[in-house]
Structures are given as structure tokens and as C-alpha cells.
Amino acid sequence: MLLAAILLSSASVAAEGKQPLETFSVYTGGLTDVGQTNFHDIWQPETGIDLSVTMPFYYGEVEVGITFLPYSALSNNQPDFSSEYTYFGWGDVIPLSRVFDLSAGIRVGTFRFVFEGENIEKHRRFESEFCAAIVAGVESKLYSAWSFELSASYVRIYTAKRIDMFYLSGGVSRTFSTPDWMREFLK
Amino acid sequence: MRCSHTVTVMLLSLLIVPALTAGNAADDFTNQLISSQEIAEAGLFRLSDLFMLVDNWDGMTIDGFSWGYSVNGLSPEMSSRWIVMIDGQRMDVASFDLKSINTLPISISSVDSIRIISTPQIHEGEFSDGGLIHFYTRPAKPGLSLQGKYGVGNETGEPGPYRYTEYYSPNVDRIGADEEACIAWSRENYSIGGGWVYQDHYLTDPAMRDRCHSINNYLNPKMESLSYHSQTSVDVSGSRHNLFMGCTDFSSMQFLKTYGREIPMEDYLLHIGLNGFIPLSDFLNIRYRTKYSRKEIDKRDNTYDIYFNWIAESYYGNVEAIYSGGNTSGKAGAGLHRTIADGAELSGSQTIDKVSIYGEIERRITPNLNSTLGAYITVMDGESALKSALSNLLIIREHNKILVNLAFAQQLPGETWSDLYWADKGFLFPGIAPDVYSLSGELDKSSYFSSDLTWKREILDNARFSVGLSYRYFMDYPLEAFSVGYDTTYMTFPIQEIAMKGTDGQVLTETFSVSHDIRSRFRQRLSFRYNIYVEGDDIFEEQWNSMPQYRLSYTAAVTIAEGCSIWGKAVYLPARDYYGYGEIETLSSGLYSGRLDDLLLVDLSFQKYLWKSRLWFNLGFRNIFDEDTHLHPIGASQELTFFIQLRATFDSILN
């Protein structure tokens, strides 16, 4: 399956004529969690920030990113916390029309909980868990190197009792040519 | 029926071996050589992870840090007999029954290659009765070289924010962080270097958390290992000399069967070794190996005041003459290994000498037949043991070869360095009253006959298969007869008596593997191994059947671009009943089980080199299907775990 995905991806990269590492796109946007699980009966999300950098790779695209999203406890028995979701991803873009592209991919990373509250012991303030996600979205060119992006991702956090989140993110991205020094570094 | 099968195999072996000789030309045929590229590609985190790359070994672990290995069926995994070496020097890593290659004073990223020897043969002055692992360290590049690495693993299954809810569960700590740094300076005829390695391992798996916590003064139980090493190599007039020094301070908390629980100990290893070769003529070389090592087990605070005080100092010297000329080559050598053991538990210091004399001859009998015959005699504790190996490599065509390896080896009790050997010498385990626990039985010389038949053939330009048949006949093989209980108060596994039994038994192993390589961009390998217990004593059968009856594995590696690859491996092991732990399911009310479930273990690794290979980044996933991975009834089960490793290497600075 992995091999098939890579071969398909290879074909799409070739079709679009994207050269590996030639450009990179910086995305910034807002996000929220619209999941409705047991977890969301205890904590409610607020609005967060999503930052990522995407780059054409030898097959498909790779990305690194981070999201910041605070959660408020619905009861005084639990602390509020801020979440920092740092990820590494791989995916690909398929042109839908002249205006829109469809993107899909996978992400893995760590989900860091930063608990707030005076009663929390110092060594209990931070917890970090592995998480994995699938993501899909649409992109549209706005002007020159600017694009508008909307995406949805299903995030699973691998705690003893799994936590599932459903993120919606929207924002803009700007594509830059990769400087020679950075390309040399990445090779 | 089974016996006739065995006899057929033996006769077949003898028919294929028309001449009484064998050879080191067969080394690369029978030995597995693991390169630094394979190590990096698979994202090995610690030395013990090399097991992930070897298909003819079975492994078991309780804590995930120390492993027991059965090497190609040469011993059960619970009584590992393998030898470990670094750059031609044997390392004394054993502390009684405990052996942990992670306590070697080097790290996995300083390894250039690993030679895995899975058939009995003479190697670097030692006879590999139970297999041998030889680590070759990375040679220093000209000029100044610097290397540093940071790696950490995170096992899933922690409570996360549910800690503050009704769904609370205990914490499962990370693996590592492990850190290391090395520096080396090299010129044309010398090199000097050194480094340190730090490893951190928590014992917070649910299977062991409570019993480890309770003996560790109710503090978070963990093991730490801090090692230093230095290496100096000098070339003088064609000769080469290598001085390797290393020390490891291991704050250990390993499971001791005698206590039925983990015991906190400070475990020190100091190794100073000098080896090299001196060419005397075009045909004759001299190799020498000397070392001093000190193994010390000392006090580490614990709730029950169980304190070890044990020192074993070893002095070793070996000289070997190597002849090579025409169709014949050979070597002859002798060595003396003196161990002086002392400690509060022994009635007085004890000196144990082991003398070894050996010889090996390799001859190319015809252009198609290469043979090697080796004999190795050990004298220890007033007894002698003969070990011999004979291998014949038949070259049908360049890529179509058959190897037959026959060996007969006797083993003396002292060579096992086991709990029972030292108990026999008068060692009293601290904190255990003789009326609570006893060791009984005789420790006698054991022996085995082994036969390995391997056929390798290239099918196409890029594919080859290997078929193997191995037979083992053990005589008076020392196995421990015991049955484990369960103490609900202390959550321990007490044993009332360990009785040593000399057992007989026969086993047969069939292997098949096929490898396929598409222009080095995509490589895959399918391997299958099937173990057949033929006949033997009851304990032998039960202990042998504790190991997986078969093992099916598939490995694939895709090179995406230069310095960027994805590696994956899937291993399937069937369910089995583990010897000695049959009662614990009832006694622990289902908390533990003596039956290990079948297991599908899938690992993935992604690597990318950056900055012209100066930086290396690896993202590894172990057990991606989150299976129950118990390899021992009371051991940890590593859930889905991910590893991140970053290594920086700067070679040939100031050159």
C-alpha cells in the first residue's frame, strides 16, 4: 500500500512538474475542535492557531507544523489546559479544477498538554502523548504566491483511554522559493 | 519416526561432507553482517535492538532493557550462552545470569558493523558455543571528528488529561532520553578517540510497576547507565595495535529469578584491552589479545536492604599465530583467563583459571570445495572440554553454494557464569535464608552435537533464496527445574527451589528465506523458521517449547532519494506456554499468565540525512498495531511506541 501510494504520488508530482525542495509554503490560520466525544463532555475547545511549513518532496509533500489550542474544563474538578500539537506530515495535492486543489495526507507527532491551576504539582504540569492524524482539505490560489486553505483533520491521541479530536482549520499560505543554502541543507 | 528423521539428517550431512576440513571462506556465508546503513535505516535505538535485524534468534525480555537470546537454537533463550565482543576484545558483561549488551560502553551509533555468528566456530580466540555478537566500531576519519546523538522514545498509554477524571490510569514513562558524544583525532598511522553514552530506562510498565516501586523506596523506578570509552590505534611497520578502554556505571534494577523480583543494584564494568597483529612474514602473522576487566555489583538503596557486594577481576592473555599461503591457511593459539572473585557473600577470594588451546586449518581442496576444521580445548576447575567445528563450503556455481557445518562441543559449568555455578562455589544470595530457598543438583560438563546445512542460490540477478536445516543434540545440558509462585502482598514470584538437571534433548530447525533487491531502491526479504522438538527429557521439552515454534518475518526498505528511506518489518510469533509460570494465572487471579499470546509485531522507520549527511534524523514506530507484546509472562509489554533520534556527525575537521 505504501509503495502504491508513493508510486501514485510520484506520478502526480511529475504531472505538476514540482521539483523536490524547490519551494516552501508557510501557512497560518485559525482552528478549532468540533469533535463530540466523552473527552468533549469534560473539556471544551476554544479557538486556536495553526502554523505549518509545507514543501514538495521526492514523492508528494512533507510538512511540519504546530497548533496551539486551549481547552476549558466544564467542571471545577478538572484543570484547564493548553494544547501544543507538533507534527510531521506527508501528503499530496491533486488538482481538482483551475481554481481548487484537493489535498490529503497523514500526520504524526506529539500532543502536549500544559495544565493550568495552582493545585497542579510542578512535575504534573506537562504531559506529552503520541498522536496520529489523517487530514484532507481544499486549496485555492488567491493572488500571486498566496493561497487560501481549508482543512479538516481527525486526530487520535494515544493515551490509555484514547482521545479523538476533529479539527477544522482555515487560513492563508504564502509560497516562497527555497534559498540555495536551505536546499543544500535539506539534501 | 522423529528419530529416524534425525538420523537421516545426520547421514545427509556426512554424505555431503566428503573431506574432513572446513573454512573461514564460509564466514560471510554463515555469519550475518549488519552494516551501519542497515542500523540507521531501521532506526535502532540501543544495542539490544539489533535483535530486530536477525531472523534466526529468539529473544525474551522482562524489562525491555536486558534481553536473553537463543542464537540459532544453540541454547534456550532463558539460559543465554552468547559471547559479545568489541573490536576483537571479549567483553565481560555477565553478572550471574544477567547479561545486558546495553551496558557495553559504546552506543549503537558508534557501531560501524555487527557480525552475528550463529554457528559454532572459532572466532577471535573464542569458541562460539552459543553464538557470538561482534561489534566493530566506526573507524576514525582523518583529522578531527565529532559526533553527538540525542534520542527519546515515548510509549503510548499514558493517562493524559484523564489523570484528573474517573478514567485515571498510572503513568507510563518515556524511553530515554539517551544521549551520547564522541570525539576522535586521526592521522595516517594513529588515531585516538573517546566518548560517553547515557541511557535512561523507566520500569513503569503495568506488569512491573508496583513490584519495582515497592522495592525502590516507593520512588519512580528507573535504570540509568553512564558509560565512557576511549580507543587508541597505532600502526607501526605493518603491525597494528588497538587499545580499548571502557567503563559503565549501571544503576540496575533487573529481575533476579532467585528473588522473584527486580533487585536494585549498582553494576560497574571496567574494561582495558589491548589487541593487535604483528606480521612476521608474507605467510605468518601474530595476533595477540590482552585485557583486564573488573565487574562489580554494589549497594543500591532499596526498601528491603538487599545489598550485593561482589567483585570479579579478570586478566586475559591470548596469542595466535596465523599462517596463510596457497590453498591452505590456519591458525593456532593459546590463552589464559584468570578470574579473581571476592565479596561479602563468598567465604574468601576465589581464583578461577581457564586455559584455552586451539587450532584451525582451512584448505581449498578443489576449486569448488573449501573446508575448515577447528579444535578448541578448554581447561577449567580441573576439568577439560573439547570443542570442534568442521565446515565445508561447496561452490556449485558463483551464486549457488551449499555449506555444511558440523560441531561437537563440550561445555564446563564455569563457562556459563550462572547463578548456580557461583552458588556451587559458595556464593550466598544476600537476604535469602537457606531455609526459605534452596539450590540443588549437580553441575556437570555438558556437550552437544550440531549440524547446519545451508543452501543459498541466486535465482535472478536481483533475487536469491536460502534454505537451511539445523539439528542439535544436547547431552547433559544443564537446565534449571523450577516452578514460580505468586505473592499477592509483594507482587513477587517466589521460587522455593531451583534444581539443576542435566538433560538430553534433540531439536531440528528448518529455515527458508528469499531476498529481492530492485536496483537498491526497493529491497524486501521474507523469512520463515520452524523449530521442531524431536525428543528429550521432560524439562528440556518444556523449556524448548517456551520459545516460538515458528517465526515468520517480512522486511521491506524503500529508498525515496539519496539519504532518505522508509523501512518496515513485520514479525509473527505463535502463542506458547512459558516454562515455570504455569500456575501464575490462577495464583494472580488472572493478572499474569504463563501463556504468551501470538504476536504480530510491525515496526516502521523513516530516516533522512540533512546537510550533506552531517545530520541524521530518524522517526521510528514500534508495534504500530498496538499488540500485546509480552515476551515473558511477567515482563513488560511495549505498546505502540515512537522514537525520535537526531545525530550530528562532523568528520575530517582540521584535516
Side-chain angles (χ1 to χ4, degrees):
Chain A
M1 275 177 67
L2 184 64
L3 187 64
I6 285 171
L7 291 174
L8 284 172
S9 171
S10 169
S12 73
V13 168
E16 279 197 44
K18 286 183 181 174
Q19 291 300 311
L21 315 177
E22 193 178 57
T23 60
F24 67 96
S25 303
V26 179
Y27 167 82
T28 180
L31 103 157
T32 192
D33 174 11
V34 295
Q36 294 294 326
T37 65
N38 278 354
F39 172 84
H40 299 91
D41 293 338
I42 307 170
W43 287 280
Q44 278 293 298
E46 297 175 16
T47 306
I49 301 168
D50 189 0
L51 299 167
S52 69
V53 177
T54 310
M55 179 173 261
F57 203 53
Y58 301 96
Y59 302 100
E61 292 187 341
V62 289
E63 63 173 342
V64 290
I66 186 165
T67 69
F68 300 93
L69 180 60
Y71 283 81
S72 302
L74 295 176
S75 152
N76 289 333
N77 296 329
Q78 283 84 33
D80 297 342
F81 68 85
S82 300
S83 72
E84 298 167 11
Y85 166 33
T86 311
Y87 58 84
F88 169 81
W90 176 84
D92 205 359
V93 177
I94 301 160
L96 277 185
S97 67
R98 283 191 167 195
V99 183
F100 292 107
D101 291 341
L102 180 69
S103 63
I106 52 171
R107 290 171 178 171
V108 292
T110 59
F111 201 97
R112 191 162 184 253
F113 302 87
V114 183
F115 296 103
E116 296 155 15
E118 291 175 1
N119 297 330
I120 308 278
E121 297 166 89
K122 200 175 175 182
H123 70 281
R124 297 277 186 222
R125 284 193 178 275
F126 307 100
E127 283 246 26
S128 197
E129 318 295 344
F130 171 72
C131 63
I134 50 172
V135 58
V138 287
E139 298 176 17
S140 174
K141 287 270 186 292
L142 284 177
Y143 169 74
S144 182
W146 290 89
S147 298
F148 175 73
E149 295 180 20
L150 275 176
S151 68
S153 56
Y154 176 75
V155 183
R156 166 157 285 194
I157 304 167
Y158 284 80
T159 42
K161 178 177 167 56
R162 307 294 195 235
I163 299 170
D164 293 328
M165 293 172 169
F166 195 83
Y167 281 178
L168 290 181
S169 173
V172 292
S173 74
R174 168 77 159 87
T175 301
F176 302 89
S177 290
T178 309
D180 290 344
W181 65 265
M182 193 189 287
R183 213 178 304 172
E184 284 297 306
F185 176 82
L186 292 170
K187 277 185 178 172
Chain B
M1 185 69 182
R2 280 173 167 174
C3 273
S4 63
H5 189 42
T6 307
V7 170
T8 310
V9 174
M10 291 172 68
L11 288 174
L12 182 66
S13 305
L14 293 170
L15 285 171
I16 291 172
V17 186
L20 287 180
T21 40
N24 283 349
D27 271 4
D28 294 333
F29 194 85
T30 55
N31 302 338
Q32 184 178 350
L33 200 63
I34 298 170
S35 67
S36 56
Q37 287 83 0
E38 289 172 273
I39 292 168
E41 190 175 67
L44 302 193
F45 187 67
R46 288 175 178 154
L47 292 172
S48 58
D49 290 342
L50 73 93
F51 171 60
M52 290 165 59
L53 302 181
V54 186
D55 285 325
N56 62 348
W57 288 25
D58 290 301
M60 72 89 182
T61 181
I62 293 178
D63 55 32
F65 190 84
S66 301
W67 285 74
Y69 301 117
S70 166
V71 180
N72 198 19
L74 290 169
S75 70
E77 61 198 15
M78 55 189 79
S79 57
S80 297
R81 287 181 165 192
W82 41 269
I83 293 167
V84 64
M85 287 184 159
I86 298 175
D87 291 333
Q89 298 178 20
R90 180 174 176 161
M91 305 298 294
D92 296 327
V93 289
S95 302
F96 306 107
D97 280 344
L98 303 172
K99 264 185 190 177
S100 178
I101 60 173
N102 287 330
T103 61
L104 290 173
I106 58 168
S107 77
I108 191 75
S109 58
S110 58
V111 171
D112 186 57
S113 61
I114 307 168
R115 183 178 290 277
I116 305 291
I117 296 178
S118 303
T119 54
Q121 57 192 261
I122 296 170
H123 180 80
E124 296 284 4
E126 301 286 346
F127 191 87
S128 58
D129 295 90
L132 193 147
I133 310 163
H134 195 159
F135 294 100
Y136 298 94
T137 56
R138 203 170 75 100
K141 298 283 169 60
L144 179 68
S145 298
L146 301 170
Q147 181 169 283
K149 193 183 114 178
Y150 176 86
V152 65
N154 199 350
E155 185 176 348
T156 59
E158 297 195 71
Y162 285 127
R163 172 185 299 282
Y164 305 100
T165 70
E166 61 185 301
Y167 306 114
Y168 169 84
S169 64
N171 205 43
V172 179
D173 271 297
R174 65 182 189 272
I175 299 167
D178 290 4
E179 300 154 11
E180 62 176 90
C182 296
I183 184 168
W185 172 258
S186 176
R187 280 290 178 231
E188 198 174 317
N189 55 358
Y190 72 90
S191 68
I192 182 164
W196 63 270
V197 186
Y198 174 77
Q199 298 170 101
D200 202 8
H201 192 87
Y202 287 86
L203 303 169
T204 50
D205 186 274
M208 59 203 310
R209 179 193 302 113
D210 290 341
R211 65 173 189 265
C212 291
H213 194 252
S214 66
I215 198 168
N216 194 41
N217 294 318
Y218 299 95
L219 299 171
N220 207 16
K222 76 167 182 174
M223 301 196 284
E224 282 179 291
S225 164
L226 179 62
S227 301
Y228 300 91
H229 71 268
S230 78
Q231 193 158 23
T232 307
S233 295
V234 182
D235 296 340
V236 184
S237 308
S239 66
R240 186 171 178 81
H241 312 275
N242 176 45
L243 174 67
F244 179 81
M245 296 191 284
C247 65
T248 298
D249 180 355
F250 180 34
S251 284
S252 150
M253 194 185 271
Q254 295 179 97
F255 186 88
L256 287 177
K257 184 166 68 250
T258 326
Y259 294 85
R261 70 178 312 155
E262 287 75 7
I263 301 294
M265 296 184 290
E266 291 293 341
D267 194 334
Y268 302 99
L269 169 68
L270 171 67
H271 174 99
I272 302 170
L274 176 68
N275 63 332
F277 73 89
I278 303 164
L280 297 181
S281 72
D282 289 345
F283 309 104
L284 194 61
N285 293 314
I286 296 291
R287 276 191 187 276
Y288 68 92
R289 304 167 186 95
T290 61
K291 80 165 182 194
Y292 164 77
S293 81
R294 181 183 170 93
K295 187 80 181 168
E296 196 172 334
I297 304 174
D298 209 345
K299 170 182 174 179
R300 182 177 170 190
D301 280 344
N302 61 77
T303 317
Y304 305 123
D305 295 337
I306 297 171
Y307 297 139
F308 277 82
N309 178 6
W310 163 265
I311 299 169
E313 289 181 291
S314 292
Y315 302 85
Y316 174 69
N318 168 283
V319 181
E320 185 177 290
I322 302 169
Y323 168 82
S324 56
N327 289 330
T328 306
S329 62
K331 61 187 171 193
L336 171 65
H337 192 162
R338 165 165 288 187
T339 301
I340 302 169
D342 202 353
E345 295 83 15
L346 280 174
S347 48
S349 121
Q350 299 207 15
T351 301
I352 299 156
D353 287 334
K354 184 173 88 170
V355 178
S356 308
I357 302 166
Y358 59 92
E360 186 180 81
I361 185 163
E362 178 184 359
R363 184 165 173 77
R364 190 166 192 149
I365 297 167
T366 71
N368 294 17
L369 182 64
N370 214 74
S371 298
T372 304
L373 175 66
Y376 193 102
I377 296 168
T378 300
V379 181
M380 189 179 188
D381 293 324
E383 281 192 284
S384 63
L386 169 69
K387 304 161 196 284
S388 58
L390 164 67
S391 76
N392 283 266
L393 178 65
L394 180 65
I395 304 164
I396 301 166
R397 284 200 181 87
E398 189 184 349
H399 301 296
N400 186 2
K401 299 174 184 175
I402 293 175
L403 183 94
V404 178
N405 199 91
L406 301 172
F408 172 78
Q410 296 174 313
Q411 193 160 44
L412 300 171
E415 294 181 84
T416 61
W417 211 256
S418 64
D419 289 4
L420 286 159
Y421 174 72
W422 287 107
D424 199 42
K425 289 274 179 191
F427 180 82
L428 298 174
F429 285 88
I432 292 188
D435 59 335
V436 179
Y437 175 89
S438 69
L439 299 165
S440 64
E442 291 287 316
L443 281 167
D444 290 323
K445 182 160 70 177
S446 63
S447 55
Y448 70 75
F449 167 77
S450 79
S451 160
D452 294 88
L453 169 68
T454 314
W455 176 32
K456 286 188 182 179
R457 179 167 185 179
E458 202 164 277
I459 315 165
L460 304 165
D461 284 348
N462 53 10
R464 63 179 178 172
F465 72 81
S466 169
V467 179
L469 196 59
S470 299
Y471 167 71
R472 314 271 179 256
Y473 182 12
F474 297 95
M475 291 155 274
D476 289 323
Y477 191 86
L479 289 176
E480 297 172 5
F482 62 90
S483 178
V484 168
Y486 182 66
D487 185 321
T488 50
T489 308
Y490 298 103
M491 292 154 290
T492 57
F493 302 89
I495 298 173
Q496 295 299 312
E497 180 187 2
I498 296 179
M500 179 55 72
K501 307 269 187 190
T503 60
D504 291 351
Q506 299 173 58
V507 288
L508 197 62
T509 304
E510 295 166 350
T511 55
F512 172 78
S513 71
V514 59
S515 311
H516 186 215
D517 186 337
I518 304 175
R519 281 180 286 173
S520 300
R521 296 296 295 261
F522 177 68
R523 286 170 286 121
Q524 58 182 337
R525 176 183 159 87
L526 179 71
S527 175
F528 181 71
R529 184 162 55 86
Y530 192 79
N531 296 321
I532 302 164
Y533 164 78
V534 179
E535 65 175 10
D537 297 332
D538 290 346
I539 297 171
F540 186 91
E541 181 180 5
E542 288 172 39
Q543 293 206 10
W544 206 265
N545 288 338
S546 296
M547 295 194 290
Q549 190 174 32
Y550 62 91
R551 176 189 169 99
L552 178 64
S553 72
Y554 174 75
T555 311
V558 183
T559 302
I560 298 168
E562 191 180 343
C564 180
S565 66
I566 297 174
W567 175 94
K569 181 160 191 170
V571 177
Y572 179 77
L573 302 174
R576 58 218 149 106
D577 293 314
Y578 210 85
Y579 175 79
Y581 290 82
E583 301 297 320
I584 59 167
E585 184 159 11
T586 311
L587 296 171
S588 70
S589 305
L591 201 58
Y592 297 92
S593 172
R595 183 164 180 81
L596 302 178
D597 291 334
D598 63 335
L599 167 65
L600 175 65
L601 195 60
V602 181
D603 302 326
L604 277 177
S605 164
F606 168 80
Q607 70 161 355
K608 174 80 178 89
Y609 284 90
L610 302 165
W611 197 11
K612 295 180 179 172
S613 299
R614 291 186 185 96
L615 297 181
W616 172 78
F617 168 75
N618 180 269
L619 188 61
F621 301 91
R622 306 267 174 86
N623 188 18
I624 62 169
F625 292 136
D626 208 15
E627 290 264 305
D628 182 348
T629 61
H630 284 112
L631 292 170
H632 191 281
I634 59 165
S637 169
Q638 195 179 66
E639 295 185 31
L640 167 63
T641 304
F642 82 101
F643 291 88
I644 294 175
Q645 299 182 77
L646 186 64
R647 186 180 69 213
T649 307
F650 298 94
D651 283 331
S652 300
I653 309 168
L654 307 175
N655 186 28

